[in-house]
Amino acid sequence: KLAVSGIALTSASSGLAPSKSEAQRLLRQRAVKRDGAVVEAAEFAAAAGESFVISVGSLRFVKIEVS
C-alpha cells in the first residue's frame, strides 16, 4: 500500500479548492469526500492501481488513479 499524503495539496492543484488553506478549511468542515465518505484526515492509504473520486460539494469532483 502507498500512503497518500497532502490531500489538501491535491485538492488545491486539481482545482477543488483555490488554495491550500481553503482545502484545509474544507477538510476541517468535513466538506471533502472520498467515494461518498467524509475524509477525516489529510492523509490516507491507497493501494497501487486503486482509483477513487474526491469531491467537494455536489458540483466539484475529480477522479484519482494511484499508479
Side-chain angles (χ1 to χ4, degrees):
K1 290 199 168 196
L2 301 172
V4 177
S5 62
I7 191 166
L9 176 61
T10 300
S11 296
S13 65
S14 68
L16 292 176
S19 66
K20 287 187 214 177
S21 60
E22 175 71 9
Q24 291 169 349
R25 183 189 66 78
L26 291 168
L27 283 167
R28 282 193 308 272
Q29 291 183 342
R30 300 173 47 98
V32 180
K33 295 181 181 180
R34 175 184 175 188
D35 288 334
V38 173
V39 175
E40 299 290 337
E43 297 184 1
F44 56 87
E50 184 178 1
S51 65
F52 48 90
V53 176
I54 299 290
S55 63
V56 177
S58 60
L59 299 178
R60 295 183 290 175
F61 57 92
V62 65
K63 184 174 183 177
I64 308 278
E65 293 183 5
V66 181
S67 57

